[in-house]
Amino acid sequence: MAFLNEDYLKLPGSYLFAEIARRVTHFKEENPEADIIRLGIGDVTRPLPQASIEAMHKAVDEMASSDTFRGYGPEQGYAFLVEKIIAHDYASRGIQLGTDEVFVSDGSKSDVANIQEIFSSDCTVAITDPVYPVYLDTNVMAGRTGTLQEDGRFANVTYLPCNAENNFIPSFPKERVDMIYLCCPNNPTGTTLSKSELKKWVDYAKANKSIILFDSAYESYIREADIPHSIYEIEGAKEVAIEFRSFSKTAGFTGTRCAYTVVPKELMAYTKSGEAHSLNPLWNRRHTTKFNGVPYIIQRGAEAIFSEAGQAQVQETIDYYMENARIIREGLQKIGLSVFGGVNAPYIWLKTPAGIDSWGFFDKLLNEANIVGTPGAGFGPSGEGYFRLTSFGTRENTIRAIERIQTRLKV
């Protein structure tokens, strides 16, 4: 008989989003005239930059001629895009990378999920809590965890609580760990780590021969000077960190799909006998074996982002979302709610009013203001008592939502 991977059975169903959908559907059935505004969505609403549209149209035309047609491309990404990534995102900040250290992919979610395949199933894992669920779920699937406990935590996982009491800055694990997931700016809390705080994590990883898996998908939203855009701004980080970047939330590529991951050659992991091996060729082997590359047309669209016009258009989009974030943040503060994030990230993380848990606030917001957000408890145990709103909606809906919250919500 065929045996299944029983680690998949440890996972609960998609409880968070299934429950959100169930409650919204029930509400709409009972209130068919309600005008629901969704501020829980992690997707974007602004169109692709015009520079990308023009580049992709041109690339489509190229595919119509045998002289310029492209079939399979390099799995790691075309040189024209990789070189632009290095020049714009790294060399401009004094970071030197080789073209064989950047791997273009169809999304950071895929890379964050797949990267764990090159690590032993015996590796111990630390995650911040609350957390982007993919970090945890893929390690459950790989067999690195125990079962889900009554407190909402998986056994054999080190949770690093982040809350208002510690300014959302995770403490070091009490026992050493092998793999550490950090997201900065953070999803879902919208908070950040300063250069000095991130340096402590790099130093910890070096001292413990640990690997930092650094999700930098929202770096383009950073406004404050002391927040690093790349972990490689920290001395020694190339020896201990893999970095994930995406065009999804910066240039609207959520449906177009393009991202990249950086795996420096000096980054080492070890065999059980203690032999050091560079992770770069291992990731290259995995990447080229299981992935055929991002389409040429899409990569031309991504390349155009780095043009002068593309940069201006991307910045306009980011400014649009960050103005939405300001409207939400200040609007919530005016009615006395404790609000975090929304300064260097498109996410606003708020404390629910006293005596109301995350799901209770979800129901309250839906029933009283007809607004959908995301309960913090869905991101982990430490998310209980918090709630996430996003700034990815339209300006009109963002303004309307805050007006409703201020006039209808009883807090």
Side-chain angles (χ1 to χ4, degrees):
M1 67 181 71
F3 295 102
L4 54 81
N5 179 352
E6 295 187 27
D7 290 308
Y8 275 68
L9 301 180
K10 298 176 184 176
L11 291 167
S14 299
Y15 177 77
L16 172 62
F17 298 105
E19 182 62 12
I20 287 175
R22 187 193 69 79
R23 295 191 188 204
V24 172
T25 298
H26 179 71
F27 178 82
K28 289 175 69 175
E29 289 173 350
E30 294 194 340
N31 303 273
E33 302 302 318
D35 175 23
I36 296 175
I37 299 175
R38 298 176 185 270
L39 294 184
I41 189 170
D43 200 358
V44 294
T45 54
R46 301 284 289 174
L48 294 174
Q50 186 60 31
S52 296
I53 294 294
E54 292 172 0
M56 287 191 284
H57 276 298
K58 182 178 179 181
V60 169
D61 290 338
E62 290 180 42
M63 301 298 271
S65 170
S66 59
D67 293 336
T68 52
F69 172 80
R70 280 26 173 230
Y72 290 124
E75 294 94 342
Q76 303 91 335
Y78 283 99
F80 62 75
L81 177 56
V82 172
E83 289 169 0
K84 290 285 176 59
I85 288 169
I86 292 173
H88 181 273
D89 289 347
Y90 294 98
S92 63
R93 298 185 180 278
I95 301 165
Q96 302 304 312
L97 291 175
T99 55
D100 55 355
E101 294 177 302
V102 176
F103 299 83
V104 177
S105 74
D106 62 353
S108 284
K109 180 178 182 179
S110 302
D111 287 350
V112 167
N114 294 328
I115 197 73
Q116 52 80 29
E117 289 187 21
I118 64 174
F119 295 96
S120 167
S121 60
D122 295 330
C123 283
T124 53
V125 177
I127 59 170
T128 53
D129 175 28
V131 71
Y132 180 46
V134 174
Y135 308 156
L136 176 62
D137 290 357
T138 52
N139 279 284
V140 174
M141 294 172 180
R144 291 191 184 90
T145 75
T147 57
L148 185 63
Q149 308 298 294
E150 290 185 5
D151 64 0
R153 294 174 172 85
F154 278 90
N156 303 330
V157 175
T158 298
Y159 288 78
L160 308 175
C162 296
N163 49 48
E165 286 66 39
N166 61 12
N167 294 316
F168 300 95
I169 298 172
S171 299
F172 296 121
K174 294 179 181 178
E175 299 179 355
R176 75 161 301 282
V177 294
D178 300 309
M179 301 160 61
I180 304 160
Y181 288 83
L182 296 177
C183 179
C184 182
N186 186 264
N187 176 19
T189 69
T191 57
T192 55
L193 297 172
S194 68
K195 288 183 179 179
S196 61
E197 291 158 351
L198 191 54
K199 184 180 186 304
K200 294 176 183 177
W201 279 102
V202 170
D203 291 344
Y204 171 91
K206 291 177 72 174
N208 290 276
K209 294 185 177 179
S210 305
I211 302 293
I212 296 173
L213 303 169
F214 192 74
D215 188 344
S216 188
Y218 301 96
E219 64 81 24
S220 293
Y221 289 86
I222 294 171
R223 296 296 211 249
E224 296 178 320
D226 192 42
I227 309 302
H229 288 253
S230 168
I231 194 171
Y232 303 127
E233 293 179 43
I234 310 301
E235 184 179 358
K238 284 188 188 178
E239 301 171 29
V240 296
I242 295 171
E243 181 164 283
F244 307 90
R245 293 271 193 108
S246 173
F247 298 111
S248 286
K249 306 300 169 65
T250 56
F253 272 51
T254 51
T256 310
R257 309 310 301 155
C258 195
Y260 64 89
T261 291
V262 178
V263 185
K265 289 181 180 177
E266 54 261 62
L267 178 63
M268 301 289 171
Y270 301 85
T271 64
K272 292 186 178 179
S273 63
E275 296 176 355
H277 288 265
S278 172
L279 287 175
N280 177 280
L282 299 183
W283 179 245
N284 183 65
R285 185 69 167 88
R286 191 268 170 209
H287 195 73
T288 56
T289 299
K290 295 190 175 185
F291 184 60
N292 258 349
V294 174
Y296 171 76
I297 296 166
I298 302 301
Q299 291 193 57
R300 281 299 187 191
E303 179 199 20
I305 291 166
F306 297 114
S307 67
E308 183 176 351
Q311 284 295 286
Q313 292 158 12
V314 166
Q315 192 58 55
E316 181 181 359
T317 293
I318 292 171
D319 289 344
Y320 180 94
Y321 291 136
M322 289 308 292
E323 175 61 12
N324 283 353
R326 183 197 66 78
I327 291 168
I328 296 170
R329 186 180 69 253
E330 294 181 2
L332 296 176
Q333 289 171 338
K334 284 182 180 179
I335 61 172
L337 293 174
S338 296
V339 185
F340 312 92
V343 176
N344 296 300
Y347 296 114
I348 294 86
W349 188 248
L350 61 107
K351 267 192 172 181
T352 58
I356 305 177
D357 64 18
S358 293
W359 280 106
F361 190 73
F362 174 91
D363 290 335
K364 183 178 181 67
L365 195 63
L366 179 60
N367 282 277
E368 295 180 8
N370 302 161
I371 295 169
V372 177
T374 310
F379 297 101
S382 293
E384 181 55 82
Y386 293 90
F387 200 82
R388 192 191 78 172
L389 297 174
T390 85
S391 64
F392 289 129
T394 65
R395 180 66 45 76
E396 177 188 14
N397 279 347
T398 299
I399 292 172
R400 291 171 60 224
I402 292 305
E403 289 175 347
R404 286 188 193 178
I405 291 173
Q406 291 176 336
T407 58
R408 300 185 191 179
L409 199 66
K410 303 176 180 65
V411 296

